[in-house]
Amino acid sequence: MADGSETAWRREFVGVTGVVGSAARWLDSIVTRLGLPDGQANAMQVCLEELVSNIVRHGGVDPASAPPGPGSDAAPALAISICVAALPDRIVLTIEDNGRRFDVVQAPAGPIDAPLECVVPGGLGIQLVKSLASSLRYCRIETGNRVVAEFAS
Amino acid sequence: MKFEVVDLEGGITKVTLAGRLDIDGAAAVERELNATAARNDRVVVDLSQVTFLASLGIRALVTGAKATAANGGKLLLLNPQPNVEKVLRATNVDKVMPIVRDLEEVAAVFLL
């Protein structure tokens, strides 16, 4: 889908089983194709892992965003759409999902700031995203959540 | 995800991990790492063959470090690759688990 200044890839993932690994492998293939510097590639891969695993583990499906059809009692499946756009000066990673509202930008985050005995394991994923992405934006859209993370070249 | 334990001189237990310490890798080693850490008080986790680290991998390491600390001991991280070290420093993990470069430094930390 090259237009001279931008090349983009998009893929949809449905359900929760194996989604994080599938998304990671998909991104790996793009990173390899683009020949990105190791540091930039790793930052993208870590952020993808954190954002997608957060959706899968905590997001759940927002029934209001995709109600089941008439006569159906089935809950809608979790759907995650990932777009990677390569621009001359940066890579833009856009992740949309139909889960419950979760504003990653406003979510509390921070590095470990206590002695080991006081540290509760876990909860560092958002800190990693905020630390490794060059910029991070969130908006609530009609179908759910949209997070846009950019990675400068 | 490879997980290997070797006992070294001085009562040091070296755990070698290899592969991606991501959501799947962490799930594969978390229980065994925690059990090994809980049984020993001088633990070094060799990260030189870990190619990727995300937050669930960090959780596994922190859980192990707390288990060793509960014995009055210490868990060190040995020779992480640059991208892995960047993740460790971005979260201040290095403030609660010292990063060391070689086994001489390991021995020095453990005052051998």
Side-chain angles (χ1 to χ4, degrees), chain A residues 54-123:
Chain A
N54 203 52
I55 294 166
V56 168
R57 291 186 297 133
H58 305 303
V61 174
D62 183 356
S65 69
S72 170
D73 292 330
L78 182 64
I80 301 172
S81 169
I82 303 175
C83 178
V84 178
L87 283 69
D89 61 342
R90 64 194 188 280
I91 306 290
V92 181
L93 175 67
T94 303
I95 301 177
E96 297 179 359
D97 69 83
N98 62 343
R100 286 188 288 271
R101 180 187 182 91
F102 180 72
D103 184 346
V104 67
V105 174
Q106 297 299 322
I112 291 172
D113 62 353
L116 181 61
E117 60 268 25
C118 301
V119 175
V120 177

Side-chain angles (χ1 to χ4, degrees), chain B:
Chain B
M1 188 88 211
K2 174 187 163 190
F3 180 97
E4 183 181 272
V5 180
V6 177
D7 292 327
L8 305 178
E9 289 182 18
I12 297 170
T13 303
K14 185 172 87 161
V15 177
T16 299
L17 303 177
R20 289 174 61 92
L21 203 44
D22 55 11
I23 187 171
D24 295 327
V29 302
E30 188 163 29
R31 182 178 298 181
E32 201 167 359
L33 174 61
N34 191 39
T36 302
R39 284 195 303 267
N40 297 282
D41 60 2
R42 290 174 175 176
V43 180
V44 56
V45 179
D46 185 344
L47 294 177
S48 62
Q49 298 173 70
V50 171
T51 56
F52 180 87
L53 176 66
S55 66
L56 290 177
I58 293 174
R59 187 180 74 176
L61 295 172
V62 170
T63 301
K66 288 177 71 75
T68 303
N71 294 333
K74 186 175 283 190
L75 185 149
L76 312 178
L77 302 176
L78 177 62
N79 208 17
Q81 296 183 14
N83 283 330
V84 170
E85 183 166 343
K86 186 173 184 179
V87 166
L88 293 169
R89 295 194 186 281
T91 47
N92 278 356
V93 170
D94 56 311
K95 300 290 195 294
V96 293
M97 279 179 269
I99 295 173
V100 291
R101 297 296 165 199
D102 52 41
L103 291 178
E104 282 187 16
E105 205 175 334
V106 172
V109 172
F110 289 133
L111 300 175
L112 297 176

Side-chain angles (χ1 to χ4, degrees), chain A:
Chain A
M1 291 189 289
D3 63 4
S5 62
E6 174 181 332
T7 304
W9 294 263
R10 178 184 293 277
R11 182 150 169 193
E12 310 277 340
F13 299 87
V14 177
V16 297
T17 306
V19 166
V20 178
S22 296
R25 287 188 292 275
W26 176 71
L27 183 64
D28 277 347
S29 70
I30 295 171
V31 162
T32 300
R33 205 176 315 174
L34 290 171
L36 296 179
D38 197 39
Q40 186 187 29
N42 186 68
M44 288 176 57
Q45 289 162 327
V46 171
C47 289
L48 179 92
E49 165 109 359
E50 301 300 344
L51 292 167
V52 174
S53 67
N54 203 52
I55 294 166
V56 168
R57 291 186 297 133
H58 305 303
V61 174
D62 183 356
S65 69
S72 170
D73 292 330
L78 182 64
I80 301 172
S81 169
I82 303 175
C83 178
V84 178
L87 283 69
D89 61 342
R90 64 194 188 280
I91 306 290
V92 181
L93 175 67
T94 303
I95 301 177
E96 297 179 359
D97 69 83
N98 62 343
R100 286 188 288 271
R101 180 187 182 91
F102 180 72
D103 184 346
V104 67
V105 174
Q106 297 299 322
I112 291 172
D113 62 353
L116 181 61
E117 60 268 25
C118 301
V119 175
V120 177
L124 292 167
I126 295 170
Q127 164 64 16
L128 276 177
V129 174
K130 290 182 176 181
S131 173
L132 296 176
S134 308
S135 73
L136 186 66
R137 301 193 301 276
Y138 169 84
C139 65
R140 184 71 179 171
I141 57 178
E142 187 178 350
T143 51
N145 301 290
R146 175 186 291 152
V147 175
V148 181
E150 296 191 350
F151 303 87
S153 299

